[in-house]
Amino acid sequence: MKATIRILADVERLTSKDDEYDDATIGSMIRHHRHELGKTYNGMAALDATRGGDAHWERAMSLFREAERNYLHGFEVEEKSSEEFSNPLEATGASSTEVTKAVIQQMTPRRVESLINVRSNVGELLRLRGRYEAAAETVASALDMAGMALEDAHDRATSMLMGDAGSVSTVMVDGPGLDEQRNAIVDLLIQMAGIFMSANRFDEAAEAYERALSSHVYFRKWSEGNDGMGQLPNRKTVLPANTSFSTNPPKLDLTVATIIEATIRRNLAHALAQIGQNNLSLEHYAASLAIKRHTLGDSHLEVAHTLMDMGALIGGPMRDFTKALICFKEALYIFRANLEECSRAHDIDVMGENRNAKSSARTFFDNEDAEEINRSVENALKNISLLEAALLKDRDGASTKRRR
């Protein structure tokens, strides 16, 4: 709160110094202070949001709203009045203003990044409150801004490569780089998919995950062809086209695949399983597993978790108990190996001669990890027991038929 008061006081002082600065300088300085004020409101809102409860939620939404107002201070945007909302609480959302491409071009990249972040935060808060439609609309607006910002950054980078020194500082210093902006688009698509998953709108979730995957692969290829100073794609190919994913899915390339790709594929597989696309779901689980084995190693916990997902799909709707059993048994082996290593690390901390606050904190988190792994072990054992019983029942049934 003290920071907020100090920034507001600075703004008032600037507006009163007409004789010392020209209008352009004053405007620039006020915008900077407003940006800092917006970040303060955003931080206060995030803190309130973590406290839970209706009162804190409403306060967080109001603070997010104030953050956006300060980010947009001095720019021409259209804002809905409170009378235009069917629910008064909607008026405190950060998606009530429309930000055009022209406004994006007037802003510094860092300010645009802050504006996108506050709308993403509001979208997550709305999702947690079960207001999925409003959450999706808010994140969609952030996604639109991120796309416009990337196109604008591409134009600036192109100007820089063509020798326009005036744009160099904007691209290289003031704000996120092209890779960061591309990653922001993928993150927002993943967030959108998460909203649809929470709302049990699995078709839309799968589509959003597909867009996230295709965008991630597209941007990765773009980065591989440009080291920051090389050839950029032409203006019309800055963003991936919204083509039918099912007819042209991104191919798996383990030599360049990332953990982000593995995570998206796993989430996509889960969404596809929810709508009965079992074969396609299994393909993405298998691809995710291959990436994790290649990148993290066969004994990593992420490998075990993906094996558990595959086992549930194969042994559940796909009814292949033998293959599912193989998945669960390998997952169990990995969980137990990690649990043993976790216990060994805990013993070293306990028996160590130089235990300090840092090592004690590490021991605490190791114990938390051990509890989680132990639950995974129990879950794997339960699934193995159920599958072995089902296989035994099938064998007994087949044996009875033969005797008849």
Side-chain angles (χ1 to χ4, degrees):
M1 184 60 70
K2 289 182 179 179
T4 304
I5 295 172
R6 185 177 66 251
I7 294 170
L8 285 172
D10 288 342
V11 171
E12 289 181 5
R13 281 197 297 273
L14 284 171
T15 55
S16 65
K17 293 184 177 181
D18 294 335
D19 297 333
E20 296 184 32
Y21 304 106
D22 58 35
D23 290 344
T25 301
I26 292 175
S28 177
M29 294 172 74
I30 289 177
R31 284 184 179 181
H32 170 74
H33 280 71
R34 288 287 185 176
H35 186 198
E36 293 301 313
L37 184 58
K39 290 195 291 186
T40 301
Y41 278 123
N42 187 47
M44 292 167 62
L47 182 61
D48 259 308
T50 61
R51 292 173 176 167
D54 289 343
H56 285 297
W57 176 70
E58 291 176 27
R59 175 176 162 80
M61 292 296 289
S62 296
L63 289 169
F64 278 133
R65 177 72 166 165
E66 287 302 314
E68 175 165 310
R69 281 178 176 166
N70 280 278
Y71 291 148
L72 292 172
H73 179 81
F75 299 95
E76 293 185 6
V77 292
E78 291 186 8
E79 184 173 354
K80 295 178 182 178
S81 64
S82 58
E83 289 79 10
E84 294 181 65
F85 295 92
S86 58
N87 184 336
L89 287 180
E90 291 179 2
T92 63
S95 59
S96 60
T97 52
E98 181 180 354
V99 180
T100 64
K101 181 69 174 290
V103 172
I104 292 290
Q105 291 172 332
Q106 295 170 33
M107 291 182 171
T108 63
R110 188 64 68 193
R111 184 183 289 261
V112 176
E113 180 186 43
S114 297
L115 187 57
I116 292 169
N117 286 341
V118 79
R119 291 203 177 182
S120 174
N121 290 340
V122 169
E124 177 60 13
L125 184 56
L126 289 167
R127 183 191 70 82
L128 292 173
R129 298 293 298 183
R131 293 178 55 192
Y132 303 123
E133 193 65 39
E137 290 177 2
T138 302
V139 174
S141 70
L143 187 59
D144 287 341
M145 285 192 293
M148 290 187 289
L150 179 59
E151 290 177 344
D152 186 49
H154 168 271
D155 291 344
R156 297 183 191 213
T158 301
S159 297
M160 181 186 72
L161 291 174
M162 294 175 65
D164 182 358
S167 65
V168 173
S169 61
T170 302
V171 176
M172 303 300 290
V173 178
D174 184 26
L178 290 173
D179 281 340
E180 291 178 83
Q181 289 179 288
R182 291 190 286 262
N183 291 339
I185 289 176
V186 174
D187 289 342
L188 288 167
L189 286 167
I190 293 172
Q191 183 180 2
M192 181 76 78
I195 293 169
F196 291 137
M197 290 294 289
S198 297
N200 294 328
R201 292 157 59 176
F202 301 117
D203 284 290
E204 292 167 278
E207 181 181 353
Y209 280 130
E210 287 173 348
R211 286 184 62 195
L213 178 58
S214 61
S215 295
H216 175 71
V217 172
Y218 179 86
F219 291 147
R220 186 183 66 211
K221 290 179 180 178
W222 185 8
S223 297
E224 290 165 2
N226 170 45
D227 60 2
M229 298 300 293
Q231 183 65 38
L232 288 166
N234 70 55
R235 179 68 172 73
K236 294 182 179 180
T237 59
V238 173
L239 298 172
N242 289 328
T243 55
S244 176
F245 182 89
S246 59
T247 59
N248 189 29
K251 295 181 180 179
L252 175 62
D253 184 351
L254 286 177
T255 62
V256 294
T258 64
I259 291 301
I260 294 175
E261 179 179 343
T263 301
I264 297 173
R265 285 185 182 273
R266 182 187 177 193
N267 292 338
L268 172 57
H270 181 60
L272 289 168
Q274 296 297 314
I275 57 177
Q277 296 289 331
N278 297 329
N279 290 328
L280 189 55
S281 173
L282 185 58
E283 286 182 25
H284 286 292
Y285 274 137
S288 177
L289 180 63
I291 295 171
K292 290 175 181 178
R293 287 190 191 277
H294 180 79
T295 306
L296 304 173
D298 290 332
S299 61
H300 198 277
L301 283 171
E302 278 298 314
V303 172
H305 288 307
T306 304
L307 283 166
M308 291 290 288
D309 291 333
M310 291 179 67
L313 176 66
I314 296 170
M318 300 186 79
R319 309 298 292 176
D320 190 334
F321 299 149
T322 301
K323 289 183 179 179
L325 192 60
I326 293 172
C327 291
F328 285 130
K329 284 187 174 181
E330 184 180 357
L332 176 62
Y333 175 83
I334 296 171
F335 285 136
R336 282 177 166 168
N338 278 269
L339 185 60
E340 182 179 345
E341 187 172 338
C342 193
S343 299
R344 191 182 305 117
H346 173 262
D347 291 341
I348 291 173
D349 273 343
V350 170
M351 299 301 292
E353 296 180 359
N354 298 318
R355 293 193 66 203
N356 51 28
K358 185 176 180 180
S359 66
S360 297
R362 187 171 65 252
T363 301
F364 171 78
F365 286 111
D366 282 344
N367 287 336
E368 289 287 300
D369 291 341
E371 291 176 8
E372 183 65 32
I373 296 171
N374 199 50
R375 284 193 289 270
S376 296
V377 167
E378 293 174 359
N379 191 28
L381 285 170
K382 182 169 69 174
N383 287 325
I384 289 170
S385 177
L386 290 171
L387 285 171
E388 288 179 337
L391 285 169
L392 181 61
K393 183 178 180 180
D394 286 349
R395 283 196 294 268
D396 289 344
S399 178
T400 300
K401 287 182 179 180
R402 284 196 297 271
R403 287 198 297 271
R404 290 178 181 175

